Amino acid sequence: MDSRTQKKALRDQLIKKRDALSDDYRRSASSGIFMSLRSWKPYLDAKGVFTYVSFRSEPDTHDIMEDILADGRSLFVPRTRWEPKGLDLIRIRDRKELKVTRFGLHEPEDHLPPALIQEIDLVLVPGLSFTLEGGRIGYGAGFYDHFLSELPKEVPTVGMVFEEMISKNLPMESHDQAVQFILSEKGIRKV
């Protein structure tokens, strides 16, 4: 079995595992993730925060988004671009500026212009699983690997994950981008 086939099988297993976590656990763990983030100095100091908009059984980002907006800071979320493939970084001022798009994702409305990567001080990264060394496996489209490879190295990257979804090992290839911190309901760990 080649690495692409192995990764697809692993993704399928991880999605099933995360989907099987109870709603109560996911709610409680998402709250713990938010509370850990809310007390972390780099998050509190960041003027521009990029986060994914939670989807299906991912750690919930809605409280985080509301917190950033309530603090008067800049909130950036991704809009996927298929041609050429990539992520546009879009500043939103209200969650009402999101619409349901391809695959059921909530993304910024089309009329909102892309922001500059230099406006971002902190990045919250989604993933199906992370290792404590910062390894990550996502959904397989490569959007975040490309984005993270373009990000200035001084910008902290934080993998948000339920503790139950942390893996000892994940298959990593040369194009796979690691994160600098792991955030779960048990707190923030530098990798």
Side-chain angles (χ1 to χ4, degrees), residues 56 75 90 98 105 120 132 141 153 170 172 175 178:
R56 295 187 181 152
L75 171 62
I90 310 297
L98 300 173
L105 297 171
I120 296 172
L132 293 178
K153 297 299 177 211
L170 290 172
M172 298 289 287
H175 64 273

Side-chain angles (χ1 to χ4, degrees), residues 93-152:
R93 289 166 176 80
D94 190 300
R95 284 193 10 224
K96 292 177 186 168
E97 294 178 311
L98 300 173
K99 65 176 185 173
V100 179
T101 62
R102 189 177 210 174
F103 305 116
L105 297 171
H106 287 82
E107 294 190 346
E109 295 173 342
D110 293 336
H111 68 87
L112 297 170
L116 299 174
I117 203 163
Q118 295 85 354
E119 297 178 66
I120 296 172
D121 301 314
L122 179 73
V123 175
L124 304 177
V125 182
L128 293 169
S129 183
F130 291 87
T131 68
L132 293 178
E133 293 77 35
R136 169 186 175 275
I137 188 166
Y139 292 101
F143 288 109
Y144 277 87
D145 289 320
H146 181 73
F147 166 59
L148 293 173
S149 73
E150 294 181 338
L151 197 65

Side-chain angles (χ1 to χ4, degrees), residues 3-11 137 171 173 175-176:
S3 72
R4 177 176 267 164
T5 306
Q6 288 175 331
K7 279 180 132 178
K8 182 180 180 336
L10 179 57
R11 282 186 189 95
I137 188 166
E173 298 176 67
H175 64 273
D176 292 329

